[in-house]
Amino acid sequence: MNSLLATALPFVTEGPSEVSSVTNDASWFLENAWIIPLLPAVSFLLILFFGKRMPKKGAEFGIAAVGIAFVLAVLTGFSWLDHRDNFDGPLAESPSVTADDGHHDDDADHSDDVDHSDEADHSDEEALGVAVIDQDGTSSSDTVVLTVEAEGEGGGEHAYVAVQKSTQWLQSGGIEFNAGILVDGLSVMMLFVVTLISLLVHIYSTDYVSGDRRYTHYFAFLSLFTASMLFFVLSDNILQMIVGWELVGVCSFALIGHWWEEKPNSDAALKAFLTNRVGDVGLLVGMITLFFAAGGGQTFDTLAINNAINQGTVGHTALVVAAAALMAAVMSKSGQFILHTWLPDAMAGPTPVSALIHAATMVVAGIYMVARLYPVFFEGMQIGGSSINLLSTVGAITLVFAGLLAFVQTDIKKVLAYSTVSQLGYMAMALGVGAWTAAVFHLFTHAFFKANLFLGSGSVAHAVHSFDMKKSMGGMKKFMPRTYITFIIGSIALAGLPPLAGFWSKDEILVGTGGWGLFGGTGGNGAYTFHLLMGMVGAALTAAYMTRCIYLTFHGEYRGNDAHDDDHAHADDDDAHAHHGDPHESGPRILWPLYILSGFSILVGFLNLPKGLTGVPDSWQLRFEHFIEPAGASYFPAIAHGAPSWSLAIVSTAIALAGIGGAYWYYFVKVDGLAKQTGQHLTELPNGFVTTNKLARTGHKVLVEKYYLDHLYTGVIAGFTKGPLARATYWVNQNIIDGFINTTGETAVKVGRGVYDKIDQGVIEGVVNGSGKVSDATGEELRHINTGKVQNYAAILFAGAAVLAGAFIIALAL
């Protein structure tokens, strides 16, 4: 382990003792961040009890609560920036745990204060943080302190110190169950993302679902959804994380099935709920394993568990089990192949809910969990120095396979849904190759341009009363120019083209694979060349299917007049303002969230400019990494960072442009040209490659059937369960179980009847009746003797005495 630390960081020097990476002393905003999830939670209750009596039917409660939460999140973010660079207060006692192998933390008696007196002697280096790792992997006084070269001009790095505030919730069996918050760069970033996008979704929804029959109910669960995700990201222990995880799932179930009267909607909600329950089994197994392996059965504290893993006191087998089990939870919640099938079906819910789910809440919960418990995966899957592992490979497969599925979708929301699955694959792959900051940065940038695209698709559907690109859209550019511009911005960002946000985060993931060997390479934590290639393919696919989506939606001729009422499968546009056949631009409450998200899609990529850019001040470089990554913290593994590569950036951009070029040639040149010649509303070439080539036709069929996974789950597994297995179970129940019980009962009745007839009536009753007759006869005889005459009694007494005397004489003679 020490060799890895020495490789990853420039300086490794001897240090006297352990230093914690946690404090309980910070600014008011950091210490009271728990208010942020509390506000939408209170809003949920207010809407439920008083919403229908309010002028805006409860929407004002939700908007006000999330708006205040957003302001507090921004202020908390600024407080964190100051805390990260200027904190010089007391540190909390380092979390101490007992591991399975008997190692203990012997440093509990160390002072809580940190001596910074030696820092003045180092102008070029300063302690970034501390990892307490003994030379033999155990915990003792012989520790190492990690230091790194100072960054910036004239100043060094301060230690990365998280803020933790907790209180005892309950105690059972000697184990304390705490409730608290953990505030660091990761959680502060998520607070900002969740509150901002939720606020925009709330505002957008006031127009989009106006007049809905469950308008108040919708806003109530929107607030609870937001509160649940905020509660989850602030959790300081794994027990709290489980609660937040399940609350997010319950809220998504309610919102996906908002129009539960329509069977496809209720089916989609049930599918999401049940699929996630499969992964939740893995979540529970993984968390229980960590509780006993890393916490010694004594603590649920996330930092204590991570710290124990970093100290090397947790067995590798336990980490493998925990990481594999938690992967099941990630696959279901964050839509990784093969448990992704619920996510596209979740488009049955209102479009603003889709935006919130895909951009900032439910589907990123799994990615967040991996990032928060990163030592579990980094050590359990041996990410450092490797070339393949379960997390990275599942992410890479998800990235490409979901991108292929997006090509055959006719529903604009499902194109974006499979795009989300693909981008989540990017994030999982990045975490699997050790590119932690790249994964989190992509989560950050993706939230803005994906919310922009989903809300943009809702704007179009709101106008044409349908989500079907082929039957109800086309030519929307001239009707909705503002929506078109925002959709183009989101698409360019998603495609990863410079200089928009997606380019910077996607390129950082490719750099982090360490698989680029051209012109010097990129470094990283291993040589994940296969994953680099999958990332390149994913970039081309993303650019191509978004070009297709743009053409079918905004270019060509408007095809809505050819649509039929039965094509309007989605009820979320069924309001008095939707005019099918008369498309129009959306109102300001829909457009302004699109403007804001488009601005973020352009700008946020510049928050983590790579190091070494000519003409860019050092203070502008790697700012996101500086404030978000817990580099050197005792609860975070020592990871290496790949060096930026111009050649890789150019090649990846060229590949994305090639994807755009191929799709542009097919749709904008060939299809559009033929449509103008024939006067038909074409969306595909009549004699295209898929039509004429058998292999291509087969591949297209596989994609249309979504790799037959739905058939496997619904037709084979569920069908077998409800059909043959249910019938077999019924037969066994009726013929074996019930037969055994009935036979047992009948036998018992027969035995009972035999006992009654033969023993009870024949023997017992006979003995009892016989005894009675003997007694009666004896009594009759005795009545003859018992006459009441004294001389009869004297004769009997004399006879008895004679008999006794004779007996004594005989006994003495013998």
Side-chain angles (χ1 to χ4, degrees):
M1 181 68 180
N2 285 340
S3 62
L4 176 61
L5 297 177
T7 303
L9 297 175
F11 301 95
V12 178
T13 58
E14 294 295 328
S17 63
E18 174 180 356
V19 180
S20 174
S21 298
V22 188
T23 184
N24 305 127
D25 182 25
S27 70
W28 185 90
F29 291 105
L30 296 177
E31 289 187 2
N32 294 279
W34 55 269
I35 296 175
I36 298 175
L38 179 64
L39 288 169
V42 172
S43 169
F44 166 71
L45 297 175
L46 291 176
I47 294 173
L48 279 185
F49 288 104
F50 306 105
K52 292 186 177 181
R53 306 175 189 175
M54 302 299 293
K56 302 297 182 182
K57 302 301 181 183
E60 57 267 64
F61 285 134
I63 294 173
V66 177
I68 297 171
F70 170 67
V71 172
L72 290 177
V74 171
L75 295 175
T76 302
F78 280 117
S79 296
W80 171 255
L81 300 184
D82 179 70
H83 175 90
R84 171 67 179 88
D85 280 344
N86 301 305
F87 175 74
D88 197 27
L91 296 175
E93 181 179 349
S94 181
S96 177
V97 296
T98 303
D100 282 350
D101 55 7
H103 295 304
H104 299 275
D105 185 350
D106 297 322
D107 299 316
D109 58 344
H110 290 165
S111 172
D112 288 342
D113 297 329
V114 179
D115 185 4
H116 297 283
S117 58
D118 293 337
E119 295 178 0
D121 300 329
H122 300 280
S123 59
D124 294 329
E125 64 179 32
E126 183 170 315
L128 173 63
V130 189
V132 182
I133 303 169
D134 299 345
Q135 305 296 347
D136 60 355
T138 62
S139 178
S140 68
S141 60
D142 186 15
T143 61
V144 292
V145 178
L146 307 181
T147 61
V148 300
E149 189 173 354
E151 295 182 2
E153 299 177 1
E157 286 277 346
H158 280 71
Y160 190 99
V161 181
V163 179
Q164 184 178 26
K165 300 288 287 186
S166 64
T167 183
Q168 183 175 316
W169 175 27
L170 57 90
Q171 188 172 16
S172 176
I175 301 173
E176 290 186 2
F177 296 85
N178 292 335
I181 60 171
L182 173 61
V183 184
D184 63 356
L186 178 61
S187 54
V188 164
M189 180 273 292
M190 288 299 298
L191 291 178
F192 176 78
V193 169
V194 174
T195 54
L196 173 60
I197 293 180
S198 179
L199 176 61
L200 296 177
V201 164
H202 273 74
I203 296 171
Y204 182 101
S205 296
T206 58
D207 187 344
Y208 194 83
V209 298
S210 176
D212 185 87
R213 53 186 174 270
R214 278 188 290 276
Y215 185 85
T216 300
H217 172 276
Y218 169 85
F219 274 94
F221 272 95
L222 210 59
S223 289
L224 184 61
F225 199 11
T226 304
S228 300
M229 189 65 189
L230 293 171
F231 174 84
F232 174 72
V233 301
L234 282 175
S235 299
D236 78 330
N237 62 80
I238 58 177
L239 195 60
Q240 252 181 269
M241 289 182 72
I242 293 173
V243 175
W245 182 281
E246 296 300 338
L247 280 173
V248 168
V250 170
C251 293
S252 68
F253 169 77
L255 289 168
I256 292 170
H258 180 67
W259 293 294
W260 49 265
E261 296 90 346
E262 300 177 28
K263 192 173 186 302
N265 298 337
S266 59
D267 287 347
L270 285 171
K271 186 175 183 179
F273 187 80
L274 294 176
T275 304
N276 277 277
R277 298 293 74 72
V278 174
D280 288 352
V281 175
L283 176 73
L284 295 177
V285 171
M287 293 302 193
I288 292 169
T289 302
L290 290 178
F291 174 70
F292 287 104
Q298 294 297 318
T299 182
F300 291 98
D301 190 281
T302 303
L303 299 188
I305 292 171
N306 284 348
N307 199 36
I309 296 170
N310 285 338
Q311 291 178 14
T313 61
V314 182
H316 182 67
T317 301
L319 290 178
V320 171
V321 172
L326 292 177
M327 265 302 298
V330 176
M331 290 171 67
S332 64
K333 187 72 78 176
S334 292
Q336 300 297 296
F337 198 84
I338 57 175
L339 294 179
H340 67 281
T341 56
W342 69 269
L343 206 152
D345 288 1
M347 298 303 96
T351 299
V353 172
S354 301
L356 192 57
I357 288 175
H358 286 247
T361 53
M362 183 164 174
V363 298
V364 299
I367 302 300
Y368 177 86
M369 182 192 68
V370 176
R372 175 59 72 201
L373 296 172
Y374 199 54
V376 178
F377 296 88
F378 192 83
E379 299 296 337
M381 296 188 176
Q382 296 183 316
I383 293 173
S386 181
S387 60
I388 192 170
N389 59 68
L390 179 62
L391 177 59
S392 63
T393 304
V394 167
I397 292 174
T398 302
L399 163 62
V400 173
F401 279 51
L404 290 170
L405 289 176
F407 270 106
V408 298
Q409 304 303 314
T410 59
D411 185 311
I412 187 173
K413 281 176 67 176
K414 288 196 174 182
V415 173
L416 299 177
Y418 281 112
S419 171
T420 298
V421 175
S422 182
Q423 296 303 305
L424 291 168
Y426 254 129
M427 299 173 205
M429 185 184 78
L431 290 167
V433 302
W436 187 93
T437 300
V440 174
F441 188 42
H442 195 60
L443 185 158
F444 178 69
T445 61
H446 174 265
F448 301 111
F449 54 72
K450 184 53 60 71
N452 183 23
L453 290 170
F454 264 109
L455 297 183
S457 71
S459 176
V460 177
H462 196 60
V464 302
H465 197 45
S466 175
F467 289 98
D468 195 316
M469 296 183 294
K470 289 191 172 184
K471 294 182 179 180
S472 304
M473 297 183 187
M476 298 302 296
K477 174 184 176 182
K478 60 185 175 183
F479 300 111
M480 310 182 75
R482 296 180 179 86
T483 298
Y484 173 70
I485 292 173
T486 61
F487 200 89
I488 287 291
I489 291 173
S491 298
I492 293 175
L494 175 61
L497 295 180
L500 273 67
F503 164 76
W504 302 102
S505 55
K506 178 209 70 179
D507 192 63
E508 192 171 338
I509 292 174
L510 298 179
V511 167
T513 63
W516 185 252
L518 185 63
F519 304 123
T522 60
N525 292 276
Y528 292 89
T529 306
F530 167 75
H531 303 82
L532 171 65
L533 296 176
M534 294 291 275
M536 295 285 198
V537 173
L541 292 175
T542 304
Y545 65 66
M546 287 310 300
T547 303
R548 171 183 178 268
C549 181
I550 289 171
Y551 174 79
L552 293 178
T553 304
F554 294 99
H555 291 268
E557 294 298 323
Y558 176 57
R559 298 177 292 276
N561 292 325
D562 298 332
H564 302 285
D565 290 339
D566 57 0
D567 293 325
H568 309 155
H570 295 272
D572 46 341
D573 293 302
D574 190 14
D575 59 72
H577 305 290
H579 303 286
H580 180 64
D582 183 22
H584 56 286
E585 186 61 272
S586 298
R589 285 176 291 169
I590 288 179
L591 288 176
W592 271 103
L594 297 180
Y595 298 155
I596 295 170
L597 291 168
S598 295
F600 277 98
S601 299
I602 296 171
L603 298 174
V604 294
F606 296 103
L607 294 178
N608 204 45
L609 293 173
K611 194 173 181 64
L613 285 180
T614 304
V616 178
D618 289 346
S619 59
W620 290 14
Q621 298 174 12
L622 299 177
R623 290 299 86 193
F624 186 89
E625 177 183 309
H626 172 78
F627 288 110
I628 306 303
E629 181 184 303
S634 60
Y635 62 90
F636 191 73
I639 59 175
H641 297 86
S645 171
W646 280 108
S647 60
L648 178 56
I650 292 170
V651 170
S652 65
T653 302
I655 289 175
L657 289 173
I660 293 175
Y664 185 90
W665 174 82
Y666 181 83
Y667 286 102
F668 285 81
V669 177
K670 303 296 290 184
V671 174
D672 194 55
L674 184 59
K676 290 178 180 177
Q677 290 177 9
T678 61
Q680 298 177 336
H681 291 169
L682 299 177
T683 57
E684 304 289 343
L685 292 176
N687 297 314
F689 191 59
V690 172
T691 306
T692 58
N693 185 277
K694 183 177 180 180
L695 182 61
R697 189 163 57 250
T698 302
H700 184 266
K701 177 67 174 177
V702 171
L703 293 178
V704 169
E705 295 295 336
K706 297 173 281 191
Y707 306 118
Y708 294 94
L709 288 174
D710 278 335
H711 175 68
L712 172 65
Y713 297 152
T714 305
V716 177
I717 298 177
F720 173 75
T721 303
K722 293 187 297 183
L725 182 59
R727 288 192 294 271
T729 303
Y730 180 78
W731 185 90
V732 170
N733 180 66
Q734 294 296 310
N735 295 277
I736 297 178
I737 299 176
D738 280 358
F740 173 77
I741 293 173
N742 292 337
T743 301
T744 302
E746 291 171 357
T747 303
V749 170
K750 291 178 181 179
V751 171
R753 185 173 293 120
V755 169
Y756 176 79
D757 293 338
K758 305 297 183 182
I759 299 177
D760 181 70
Q761 296 297 311
V763 179
I764 299 176
E765 287 289 340
V767 171
V768 172
N769 293 335
S771 300
K773 292 178 180 179
V774 171
S775 299
D776 185 61
T778 304
E780 288 295 330
E781 292 298 325
L782 288 175
R783 263 201 304 269
H784 295 296
I785 299 172
N786 187 21
T787 61
K789 296 179 179 182
V790 177
Q791 58 268 29
N792 290 341
Y793 297 149
I796 294 172
L797 181 61
F798 178 79
V803 171
L804 288 175
F808 276 115
I809 292 171
I810 294 171
L812 291 174
L814 294 176

